[in-house]
Amino acid sequence: MEHIRLPKVENVRLLDKVSPGRSRVGILYLTATHSIFVESDTGLRSETWVLHSLVCSVEKQTTTSSGCPLLVRCKNFQVLLFSIPREPDCHDVYLSLQRLSHPDAKTTVLYCFSYKPNIVEEERRQDWAFMDLKANYSRMGLPNSLWKLSSINQHYKVSSSYPADLFVPESATPPVVVGSSKFRSRGRFPALSYYSKENHAAICRSSQPLSGFSARCMEDEQMLEAILRSNPRSDFMYVVDTRPKLNAIANRAAGKGYEIEDNYSNIKFQFMGIENIHVMRNSQQKVLELCELRSPSMSDFLEGLESSGWLKHIKAILDAGIFISKAIAEEGVSVLVHCSDGWDRTAQVCSVACVLLDQFYRTLKGLMVLIEKDWVSFGHKFSHRCDHLAGDPKEVSPIIDQFLECVWQLMEQFPCAFEFNERFLITIHSHIYSCQFGNFIGNSQRERRELRVGERTHSLWRYLWTNCADFINPLYRPDHSQTQGLLRPSTAPYCFKFWKGLYNRFDRGMHPRQSVEDYLRAIQEETQQLEEQLASHKQVQLLLVIILQIVSHEDKKLFSGSVRGFLIFINRRSASWRRNRVGVFPGRLPPLKRALMCGLWVATLLGSTLLRTTSEVSSAAAARAHPKLQTTARSSSLRTPNKQPTPSAPMAATRSPASQT
Amino acid sequence: MEFAELIKTPRVDGVVLHRPFMPTVEGTLCLTGHHLILSSRQDSAEELWLLHANIDSIEKRFVGSLGRIVVKCKDLRIIQLDIPGMEECLNIASSVEALSTLDSVSLMYPFFYRPMFEVIEDGWNSFLPQDAFKDLESITDEWRLSEVNKDFSVCSSYPPLVAVPKHIDDDTLKKVATFRHGGRFPVLSYYHKKNGMVMMRAGQPLTGTNGRRCKEDEKLINATLRAGKRGYIIDTRTINVAQQAKARGGGFESEGNYPQWRRIHKAIERSNILQESLIKLVEACNDQSHSMDRWLSKLEASNWQTHIKEILTTACLAAQCIDRSGASVLVHGTEGTDSTLQVTSLAQIILDPTCRTIKGFQGLVEREWLQAGHPFQQRCAQSAYSNSKPRQEAPVFLHFLDCVWQTLRQFPCSFEFNEAFLVLLFEHAYASQFGTFLGNSAAERLSLAEKTVSLWSWVNRPQELERLTNPLYEANSLVIWPSVAPQSLLLWEGVFLRWNRSSRCLDEAYDEMVHIIEYNKELQNKVNSLRRQLHEDQVEFCF
C-alpha cells in the first residue's frame, strides 16, 4: 500500500490506438492490486481493470498539450495508453505502478497471497488435491517392472530444482542416480517424463552432461544403459540435444556439453537447433513491436513477422517434438532429451511430444496435468521467466508462451482432436503471468513448498476445471479418428499462422465478428436439452399406454379422460400419498392395482416434466419462428446451465468498422 | 472434324497417374476433343476427366523409354502422367498442348456439352436486368432503364439495358459516352435502400491533357445528388497514375468542373501487375522446401495479400461513404471493367444482405461482372503456370473471390454459401463446361443462351445447393464491416494450398460441424412430432 502515491486521478483519457476519436474520459484509481479506469461520461459506467502483476512495463512519454501520456504494457499483451492532465500526477502514477507491478524480491507480496475468493478452507485444500501427478503416472501404467518411483530426491538434496517424486529405471540403483546427477548440470539426472504402455518406449529428460572435452562418468553411462534396458524391445536409444550444435560445442569449453557417442553404448545422438532464451525473448519483443504498429501495411507486417523469426522458432520446437513422438510411437525407441539446464527447451519439446503422442494430453484435464508434470514439477523457472518479481531481465523469456502456441498451431491443423479451445490456452497464459493462483509461483517445487503455496494460495487447475464449460471445443469428439493416437502435423512453413488470438487479443476489431465456436456451443446446449425432453416424452408416452390399458372405465372418469386431466389427477393423488408417507405400497393390494400404483408414482415424477417441457418447446419453437430473437432464445428460454452469457455474445453481429480508411 | 487432326494418339495403355493426396492409378489414357481421360477400367477406381481448357501448361521429361508429362492446371493442381513409349508421350504432349490452346470460342467445350441433369430453372433467364430493376422501381422512381445501348453501339462492353437517372435522356447518355473510356458512361450499380444513396460506376473521363469537359457528364452524375449534398468519386488509381493517364487521353474529374464531388484516390494495381503477383504467390506455395524465412519473404514479395488489403479497403471506403456519410459514390479506374467492379461488387457484399445469399451472390456476379463487361475470356485465358507471355490475363475475379472469402471468414454466419461455392466459381471462370463465363461482354455472349448451358442452371438444383450451403447461415440484415488489418487477412488456403496440404482434418471438422447442426434439427423435429402425438393421444382418450 505504501507504494500508492496517488490513489485517484480524474479526467484521465484512455486513448484508442486504432481510432483516436474513440478515446474515453474517466477516473483512474490505483488500488493495492489493480489499476481501475472508470469511464465517467457514459451511462454504462464501463470499467477497465488491470492487475498490477500483469503489468509488464510502464512508460512515460513526452508531455503534449492535451496531457501527459502514460503507456502501460501488460504481460497478456494488452496495451493501454492513458493521458493524464497534470505531469506531476502522471509521474506519481508512473512511480506507483512501477513499484506495484514489480515488487522487490519478497515473493510473499505477490497477488496470490492476498487473493481471497469466497471459498472455504476445506474446499481450498481439496482444490490443490485435484491435481494428482501420481494418478497420471499410474495412468501410464507406472510403477511397473521396468520403472520405479524413486524417493532419492525426497528432500531436494540431489537436485534442488527437481520434484520430490521421480521415476527412474528399475535397474538404476541410488548410487547410479546420484553419480549421474553429479555429472549433470544442476544435478538434473535423467528421469522419466513419458512412458508408452503400448511399446515400453519412454521419454526421459535431464540437463547437459558435464563432459567438457573428455570427461566421462560411469554412473551416467550406466544410467543411460538402464534407460535403454527399460525398453526391452529396443536395442538403441536416441539422445536429443535440443540446442543448436554450435551452442552445445561452446558449452564444452565451460566443462559442460553433450554426450560423446563412443562413451555410451547404443545411443544415437541428435541436435535440434532450438535457440536459447535470449534469442526467444528478443524474437517475441519484435512480434510485440509489430503488434503495436499503427495501421501497418501488409508488407510491414509480413516483413516484421519474418524478421522477428518467431514462427521459425515455433517450427523448430514443433519439429523437435515430432521427431521424439515418432521415435516413441513409430520406432518404439526411447529418447533422452536435454538442453543446457533442461528446464526450458527440454520442457517445451517433451510436452509437445506428449501432446502429439497421447490423446489424454489433448483433453482439458490432460493439458493441465501435462503443464503440471513437465513444467511446474520439473522446475521450469516461472518466477524468473515470467518476471514475477523485480529481477534479472536477462532471465525473462516466453518459453511457456511458445509451448502454448505450439498447441494452438496443432489445434489449427486438427480442429477435432482437442477437447479444449483457444480460450483455454489464453486463460492459462494469463494466469501463468497474473500470480493470482499459487501454481506458478517460485522457480521450483522446493521453493513452493517453502512458501507454503499449498496452504496459503488457491489452485488454478481446480478453478479452470470448475469453469470448464467455457473451454470446451464443440468439435471435439473422443471417438473421432482425428482424436486417436499419434498426431502427424505438417510443418511446411505455410502451415504456421500468426496467433492473433493471443497477440492481438485486445484488438477486438481484428477478430472474426461471429464465432463459429460459440454458435456451435449454443446449438449443442440446445441439443442436450432436446435430448432430455425427448427421453421424458417417450417415457410418459409409454407409461400412458400401459396405464390406460389397465385403468378401468370408472377410473378414467376421475381424470376426465385426457392426458392433462390424468396428470392433474395423479399430482393431487401423489400429494395425499406423500402426506400419508405411503413410501412403500401396501402389500395388501392386488398385483394389478399395485402395478398401476407404481406406474402412477413414476408418472407423478415425469408428469411435472411433461407439463414443463410442453410449454418450453412451444416457447423455443416460437423463438425459432423469429430469427432475430434466436440469440436471446438460446441463452434464456432454454435453461442455460449455470452459465452467464459471455460478454462477447455469440451472435452479436456487427460492431464497428475496423476498416482503416 | 478439326479435333481428329490434332489427336495423333487417341489412346495409350499402361499410363500411371500421380495426383496430390490420392493413390496413383494405372490405366488407359484417352484423348478426346475436349478431355484428357484416364481410366483404370475398374468400377471402383476413380477416373480422371480433365478439360483441356483447364490445362495451363505441360512439361515433358524422359526417363529412358518412359515419358513423363507434368500437367499444370488453371485450378492450380499439378498432376503427372507416366507414359510408356517415347513416341506416344510426344504425341500426347503435343496434342494436349494444341487442344488446350485453341483460340476459337466456338470450339470450346460448352458448345458441345449436353447436360446430364434436369434443368429446374434455366440460369440464362434467372438474372435479367429488367427483373432486378422491377425491385428498384418499387422503392424509387428516380431511375429508369435505358435502351440506348440495345444494339451495343453506344458502349460495346455494356449490356443492352442499363439503369440511369430518370431525367437524363438517351441523347445525353450518348454524349456522355463519348467522354468516358470505352463509352462506359456512369450507370447505376447499387441503390442503398436504407438511405437512398447510390453507387455508380463508369470508365475514366477523357479529359486529356487540355482538361476537356463535358457538361452532360456533370449533369448526369449531379442528377444523383440530393440538394446541398456532396458525393464522392472513388478513383481506384493513385493520383500519379491518374495524372499519367491524361497523356493518353484519359484523366479524372477536376474539382473545378465537379464542385459537388470529393475525389479520393486509392491504389489498386493494374491487371498485369496482378498476374505477376499470382504467379509469384503460386510459386511460393508450391515450393515445399522453403524455410520459414524464405516462405514469409516470398509471400511478402508476391504482394498478393497487399492487393487484397487494398481492394477490401477501397470497398470499405465506398461502403462507408454510402452508409455512414450518407453520400452517393461514383467509382472508376481506367477502363472501369476491373478494379472498378471489384470495388462496387465488394461494397455490395458489405452493404446488402441479399448479396450474401446464394442466389443473391449469383445475381451480383451476373450484374457486376458478366453484364458489366468484365472481360473474362481475356483475363482468365491463362493462370499461374502458363509459359507464354501474358497478354491481358489477370486474376481480377480471383482477387474478388478472395476478398469475399476473407469477409466470409470474419462473418462465418452471415453468408448463405460456403467456401466451396467460391472455389467453384474460381474453377468455372477459368475452365468450364458451361457457357456462363465465355466471352468478354454481354454483346459477345448474345448467342450463348441457345447454344450452351448456364452454370446457374447446374448450381441451382437441390443436390448442388446443399453442398454449397453454409450450415451456419442465419440471415443478418446488418451492414458487415470486415477488418483489413494485416493480422485479419489470411492466405486463402482453400485455393492456394489446396493441392499442397491434405485437407482431411479440416474437412472432417466441417463435417462434424454439419453433423452437430443436423442432429439438432433432427431432434427438434422429433420433439415436435412427439408433442403432436401426445396431443393426439389426449384427444383419443376423450370420451
Side-chain angles (χ1 to χ4, degrees):
Chain A
M1 285 301 261
E2 69 273 18
H3 301 311
I4 305 174
R5 300 164 69 107
L6 193 67
K8 176 181 170 188
V9 196
E10 289 185 43
N11 283 321
V12 173
R13 277 191 307 137
L14 179 55
L15 303 170
D16 193 304
K17 191 179 76 169
V18 184
S19 44
R22 239 176 282 148
S23 298
R24 295 172 289 167
V25 180
I27 305 170
L28 181 66
Y29 296 94
L30 293 188
T31 74
T33 54
H34 290 83
S35 311
I36 308 163
F37 176 78
V38 183
E39 201 176 334
S40 48
D41 53 356
T42 58
L44 287 166
R45 198 186 151 82
S46 97
E47 292 176 4
T48 309
W49 289 56
V50 180
L51 194 60
H52 294 325
S53 42
L54 269 178
V55 171
C56 171
S57 73
V58 196
E59 189 187 311
K60 235 175 79 184
Q61 298 181 332
T62 15
T63 314
T64 63
S65 56
S66 56
C68 185
L70 188 72
L71 186 67
V72 180
R73 291 194 183 89
C74 300
K75 293 173 184 173
N76 58 2
F77 311 121
Q78 185 169 24
V79 179
L80 294 159
L81 181 58
F82 294 107
S83 173
I84 296 171
R86 291 180 54 241
E87 201 277 335
D89 289 351
C90 183
H91 192 66
D92 280 345
V93 172
Y94 167 75
L95 287 179
S96 310
L97 270 181
Q98 245 185 356
R99 297 297 299 275
L100 290 163
S101 62
H102 290 86
D104 292 335
K106 235 169 69 202
T107 314
T108 47
V109 301
L110 287 172
Y111 183 41
C112 59
F113 295 102
S114 58
Y115 171 63
K116 294 280 175 275
N118 198 8
I119 293 173
V120 293
E121 176 56 21
E122 176 68 13
E123 210 176 305
R124 194 201 58 78
R125 218 173 313 129
Q126 277 171 11
D127 287 356
W128 278 103
F130 167 76
M131 178 56 68
D132 182 1
L133 278 188
K134 276 203 180 124
N136 174 49
Y137 286 109
S138 50
R139 189 191 62 85
M140 295 184 209
L142 299 179
N144 62 8
S145 61
L146 301 167
W147 294 90
K148 66 182 177 194
L149 180 63
S150 161
S151 55
I152 200 154
N153 201 35
Q154 211 47 246
H155 304 289
Y156 309 106
K157 289 270 164 53
V158 181
S159 169
S160 65
S161 58
Y162 256 10
D165 295 329
L166 284 160
F167 281 85
V168 293
E170 180 60 40
S171 57
T173 58
V176 167
V177 174
V178 172
S180 167
S181 84
K182 290 194 172 131
F183 189 63
R184 297 267 168 185
S185 274
R186 321 259 176 188
R188 293 170 69 93
F189 56 88
L192 182 105
S193 165
Y194 178 76
Y195 170 75
S196 162
K197 256 196 300 214
E198 286 80 34
N199 60 13
H200 308 298
I203 303 175
C204 294
R205 52 182 289 176
S206 69
S207 58
Q208 63 186 340
L210 306 175
S211 47
F213 290 104
S214 58
R216 59 190 288 186
C217 164
M218 285 307 286
E219 289 90 342
D220 195 59
E221 289 158 26
Q222 284 165 5
M223 186 73 185
L224 263 66
E225 180 76 36
I227 293 171
L228 177 59
R229 256 183 280 133
S230 286
N231 184 2
R233 284 187 230 163
S234 168
D235 50 11
F236 75 98
M237 68 183 279
Y238 286 111
V239 174
V240 167
D241 189 330
T242 58
R243 299 169 290 186
K245 189 172 184 183
L246 268 179
N247 300 24
I249 291 172
N251 265 297
R252 286 172 77 172
K256 298 166 190 171
Y258 52 94
E259 291 80 357
I260 295 150
E261 258 176 291
D262 292 347
N263 294 347
Y264 294 84
S265 45
N266 304 313
I267 66 164
K268 282 191 185 170
F269 193 84
Q270 190 83 32
F271 286 111
M272 284 297 165
I274 303 174
E275 298 291 346
N276 65 24
I277 59 167
H278 311 295
V279 175
M280 301 306 191
R281 178 180 55 244
N282 294 336
S283 172
Q284 195 192 42
Q285 191 51 44
K286 284 184 187 159
V287 171
L288 297 181
E289 283 162 17
L290 189 61
C291 291
E292 274 189 52
L293 288 181
R294 275 183 61 174
S295 44
S297 73
M298 196 45 106
S299 297
D300 292 340
F301 179 73
L302 289 173
E303 273 169 14
L305 192 60
E306 184 200 332
S307 75
S308 77
W310 183 254
L311 291 180
K312 180 173 68 187
H313 301 314
I314 298 293
K315 175 171 153 61
I317 296 163
L318 198 55
D319 276 328
I322 291 169
F323 175 86
I324 293 164
S325 67
K326 284 192 172 160
I328 301 290
E330 288 176 354
E331 296 181 66
V333 174
S334 293
V335 184
L336 171 66
V337 185
H338 69 72
C339 46
S340 298
D341 290 318
W343 49 42
D344 293 315
R345 288 169 272 207
T346 302
Q348 287 176 329
V349 168
C350 289
S351 49
V352 166
C354 283
V355 169
L356 293 169
L357 278 166
D358 192 334
Q359 74 177 91
F360 170 70
Y361 296 120
R362 307 195 283 263
T363 63
L364 270 165
K365 181 91 186 274
L367 189 78
M368 298 194 253
V369 167
L370 184 62
I371 294 176
E372 181 73 20
K373 168 173 81 81
D374 272 320
W375 295 81
V376 177
S377 88
F378 268 103
H380 176 68
K381 303 203 292 171
F382 282 103
S383 188
H384 285 165
R385 296 292 178 259
C386 305
D387 203 18
H388 288 161
L389 298 160
D392 182 359
K394 287 220 160 62
E395 283 284 324
V396 181
S397 191
I399 301 303
I400 182 95
D401 298 21
Q402 291 181 317
F403 164 65
L404 293 173
E405 179 160 340
C406 284
V407 176
W408 178 80
Q409 300 281 2
L410 289 172
M411 285 162 68
E412 288 288 296
Q413 285 195 39
F414 303 94
C416 303
F418 291 83
E419 190 190 17
F420 46 83
N421 57 15
E422 180 185 23
R423 198 176 297 154
F424 187 58
L425 299 180
I426 293 176
T427 308
I428 292 177
H429 179 271
S430 261
H431 284 301
I432 284 172
Y433 288 90
S434 75
C435 298
Q436 185 171 338
F437 296 94
N439 305 62
F440 311 105
I441 302 306
N443 290 317
S444 65
Q445 195 178 71
R446 200 188 80 174
E447 285 184 28
R448 279 184 289 278
R449 289 252 165 108
E450 282 164 3
L451 287 164
R452 294 187 296 121
V453 158
E455 290 147 57
R456 298 161 67 197
T457 70
H458 293 264
S459 166
L460 171 67
W461 303 133
R462 185 61 210 206
Y463 166 83
L464 293 176
W465 189 246
T466 316
N467 295 291
C468 67
D470 289 343
F471 305 126
I472 295 286
N473 167 17
L475 294 176
Y476 174 73
R477 235 176 48 204
D479 55 347
H480 201 287
S481 64
Q482 208 179 102
T483 316
Q484 314 298 317
L486 178 68
L487 294 188
R488 291 182 181 82
S490 160
T491 57
Y494 48 65
C495 292
F496 290 83
K497 296 175 188 160
F498 177 74
W499 192 5
K500 67 167 180 288
L502 182 68
Y503 291 108
N504 292 106
R505 184 180 160 195
F506 292 90
D507 300 312
R508 286 167 72 189
M510 280 183 200
H511 303 289
R513 309 311 162 74
Q514 293 171 324
S515 154
V516 175
E517 194 192 305
D518 288 344
Y519 180 90
L520 291 178
R521 206 205 317 253
I523 292 261
Q524 277 181 331
E525 272 170 24
E526 196 190 68
T527 302
Q528 207 181 346
Q529 285 153 26
L530 286 170
E531 274 172 343
E532 286 165 19
Q533 287 174 18
L534 204 59
S536 63
H537 273 53
K538 276 187 178 152
Q539 279 169 315
V540 170
Q541 203 183 26
L542 188 69
L543 213 63
L544 282 177
V545 173
I546 298 168
I547 290 167
L548 288 170
Q549 276 172 354
I550 302 168
V551 177
S552 68
H553 192 71
E554 284 89 315
D555 286 341
K556 282 188 187 171
K557 277 183 188 161
L558 286 171
F559 48 87
S560 59
S562 73
V563 175
R564 187 164 279 268
F566 171 73
L567 292 169
I568 294 167
F569 162 75
I570 49 175
N571 257 329
R572 247 187 255 130
R573 265 296 167 80
S574 65
S576 77
W577 287 333
R578 261 188 237 116
R579 261 201 309 282
N580 300 333
R581 293 183 169 277
V582 193
V584 184
F585 296 115
R588 286 181 271 126
L589 288 172
L592 194 70
K593 197 110 182 182
R594 205 162 27 173
L596 170 64
M597 296 283 267
C598 286
L600 287 177
W601 261 101
V602 181
T604 317
L605 302 171
L606 291 175
S608 48
T609 327
L610 179 69
L611 290 174
R612 197 187 63 221
T613 49
T614 30
S615 63
E616 258 173 25
V617 169
S618 46
S619 71
R624 287 219 148 242
H626 305 283
K628 271 191 183 166
L629 293 174
Q630 253 182 31
T631 340
T632 45
R634 288 235 166 85
S635 50
S636 61
S637 89
L638 299 169
R639 298 149 294 148
T640 326
N642 57 42
K643 203 185 137 269
Q644 294 290 314
T646 43
S648 52
M651 295 295 105
T654 324
R655 262 181 236 116
S656 50
S659 45
Q660 306 152 351
T661 46
Chain B
M1 177 82 211
E2 206 172 326
F3 294 129
E5 295 160 23
L6 296 172
I7 303 168
K8 292 172 190 154
T9 306
R11 216 187 101 173
V12 188
D13 289 319
V15 174
V16 180
L17 165 72
H18 304 268
R19 282 181 289 185
F21 307 109
M22 284 183 165
T24 54
V25 184
E26 187 180 336
T28 305
L29 177 76
C30 298
L31 286 188
T32 72
H34 294 106
H35 284 97
L36 182 155
I37 304 161
L38 190 124
S39 169
S40 63
R41 308 231 167 155
Q42 281 157 0
D43 292 339
S44 54
E46 219 194 316
E47 292 181 336
L48 171 79
W49 281 70
L50 188 67
L51 260 182
H52 293 317
N54 191 6
I55 296 173
D56 208 22
S57 78
I58 67 167
E59 287 163 23
K60 43 186 186 289
R61 277 170 227 152
F62 292 97
V63 189
S65 66
L66 182 80
R68 175 168 290 175
I69 298 183
V70 178
V71 180
K72 299 185 174 179
C73 304
K74 290 180 184 159
D75 62 12
L76 307 182
R77 175 174 31 162
I78 297 178
I79 59 173
Q80 183 189 312
L81 296 162
D82 294 344
I83 300 171
M86 190 146 1
E87 195 190 332
E88 283 85 351
C89 181
L90 282 170
N91 284 346
I92 295 284
S94 67
S95 300
V96 168
E97 206 146 6
L99 288 165
S100 61
T101 49
L102 290 177
D103 268 338
S104 167
V105 174
S106 60
L107 291 178
M108 296 288 212
Y109 185 52
F111 291 98
F112 299 83
Y113 172 74
R114 291 291 159 264
M116 304 283 278
F117 57 87
E118 190 198 350
V119 175
I120 298 168
E121 182 189 334
D122 186 359
W124 289 115
N125 301 323
S126 298
F127 307 99
L128 299 174
Q130 48 270 43
D131 294 343
F133 190 74
K134 266 187 206 124
D135 195 30
L136 180 66
E137 252 177 342
S138 63
I139 315 163
T140 172
D141 58 356
E142 290 166 18
W143 296 82
R144 69 184 183 95
L145 215 47
S146 166
E147 292 185 355
V148 69
N149 197 38
K150 66 174 183 287
D151 52 2
F152 306 104
S153 58
V154 178
C155 170
S156 60
S157 60
Y158 269 173
L161 292 171
V162 286
V164 293
K166 186 161 202 170
H167 303 295
I168 303 295
D169 57 30
D170 284 357
D171 287 337
T172 314
L173 294 177
K174 282 180 188 160
K175 280 185 192 137
V176 177
T178 62
F179 181 66
R180 291 277 172 178
H181 192 116
R184 294 175 70 91
F185 54 89
V187 293
L188 180 74
S189 160
Y190 171 66
Y191 181 90
H192 196 42
K193 289 176 192 166
K194 200 168 111 190
N195 58 10
M197 292 302 133
V198 296
M199 179 161 57
M200 289 176 300
R201 51 180 158 73
Q204 65 177 342
L206 303 175
T207 56
T209 36
N210 50 9
R212 204 180 133 213
R213 81 187 270 191
C214 172
K215 292 272 188 198
E216 288 81 4
D217 187 72
E218 292 155 30
K219 189 177 147 201
L220 193 162
I221 69 166
N222 287 341
T224 65
L225 293 177
R226 300 268 160 87
K229 279 271 195 178
R230 265 161 63 105
Y232 289 89
I233 293 172
I234 296 175
D235 191 329
T236 61
R237 307 162 293 181
T238 59
I239 180 76
N240 285 337
V241 175
Q243 289 279 11
Q244 287 158 15
K246 280 186 173 177
R248 289 187 298 273
F252 52 85
E253 297 82 354
S254 66
E255 283 85 358
N257 297 343
Y258 298 84
Q260 285 166 281
W261 294 84
R262 228 194 105 198
R263 205 179 62 246
I264 304 171
H265 288 275
K266 299 300 284 184
I268 303 181
E269 291 288 356
R270 287 186 56 84
S271 47
N272 53 340
I273 293 178
L274 299 184
Q275 182 69 8
E276 212 172 284
S277 164
L278 174 70
I279 293 169
K280 281 187 188 164
L281 175 69
V282 170
E283 196 185 293
C285 291
N286 283 350
D287 192 340
Q288 312 262 353
S289 66
H290 284 332
S291 71
M292 183 64 78
D293 287 353
R294 188 141 174 77
W295 156 247
L296 286 173
S297 87
K298 286 205 135 192
L299 178 65
E300 194 269 314
S302 81
N303 270 327
W304 182 268
Q305 297 293 89
T306 304
H307 299 317
I308 296 290
K309 183 169 150 67
E310 196 57 42
I311 296 166
L312 256 184
T313 308
T314 312
C316 283
L317 171 70
Q320 265 177 337
C321 291
I322 293 169
D323 187 68
R324 291 282 166 90
S325 315
S328 285
V329 172
L330 169 67
V331 184
H332 70 75
T334 306
E335 290 96 346
T337 54
D338 294 297
S339 58
T340 307
L341 305 182
Q342 289 175 329
V343 173
T344 57
S345 54
L346 281 168
Q348 292 179 56
I349 294 276
I350 294 169
L351 294 169
D352 185 1
T354 335
C355 294
R356 299 175 222 139
T357 63
I358 294 186
K359 272 307 253 314
F361 191 73
Q362 293 171 14
L364 182 76
V365 171
E366 190 72 36
R367 262 192 341 267
E368 291 298 309
W369 290 88
L370 293 162
Q371 305 273 352
H374 175 67
F376 276 98
Q377 183 104 9
Q378 291 175 355
R379 296 287 180 259
C380 301
Q382 292 172 7
S383 172
Y385 299 125
S386 177
N387 300 318
S388 49
K389 196 171 177 291
R391 286 156 302 177
Q392 288 167 306
E393 289 78 6
V396 176
F397 188 60
L398 178 56
H399 258 134
F400 160 70
L401 294 175
D402 194 332
C403 290
V404 177
W405 179 79
Q406 304 284 354
T407 318
L408 169 63
R409 280 280 308 208
Q410 295 185 25
F411 295 89
C413 307
S414 297
F415 288 80
E416 195 191 5
F417 50 87
N418 57 18
E419 181 179 354
F421 185 47
L422 298 173
V423 175
L424 177 115
L425 290 179
F426 158 60
E427 290 172 340
H428 283 275
Y430 277 87
S432 174
Q433 66 267 47
F434 303 107
T436 300
F437 291 106
L438 286 184
N440 292 309
S441 64
E444 290 184 30
R445 242 172 255 126
L446 266 186
S447 62
L448 291 181
E450 291 105 59
K451 293 182 183 162
T452 70
V453 181
S454 162
L455 171 64
W456 313 132
S457 303
W458 183 66
V459 167
N460 290 325
R461 295 172 308 131
Q463 56 269 54
E464 275 312 304
L465 287 175
E466 194 191 324
R467 193 176 70 85
L468 305 172
T469 302
N470 175 9
L472 299 167
Y473 177 63
E474 290 200 11
N476 172 6
S477 60
L478 299 168
V479 176
I480 54 173
W481 299 107
S483 159
V484 295
Q487 289 96 320
S488 307
L489 302 177
L490 307 170
L491 179 69
W492 189 5
E493 294 175 46
V495 165
F496 298 110
L497 301 179
R498 186 177 175 196
W499 313 106
N500 301 333
R501 54 126 179 80
S502 159
S503 64
R504 192 178 60 91
C505 291
L506 301 180
D507 294 343
E508 282 172 358
Y510 186 84
D511 292 344
E512 184 62 33
M513 187 175 83
V514 173
H515 169 78
I516 290 172
I517 294 166
E518 290 297 314
Y519 180 57
N520 177 275
K521 281 187 193 146
E522 186 188 310
L523 276 184
Q524 240 152 27
N525 291 339
K526 269 192 191 160
V527 169
N528 286 341
S529 79
L530 255 179
R531 199 163 57 91
R532 264 197 306 279
Q533 210 178 330
L534 274 175
H535 185 75
E536 279 159 20
D537 290 351
Q538 194 173 332
V539 177
E540 204 176 297
F541 287 109
C542 278
F543 48 89

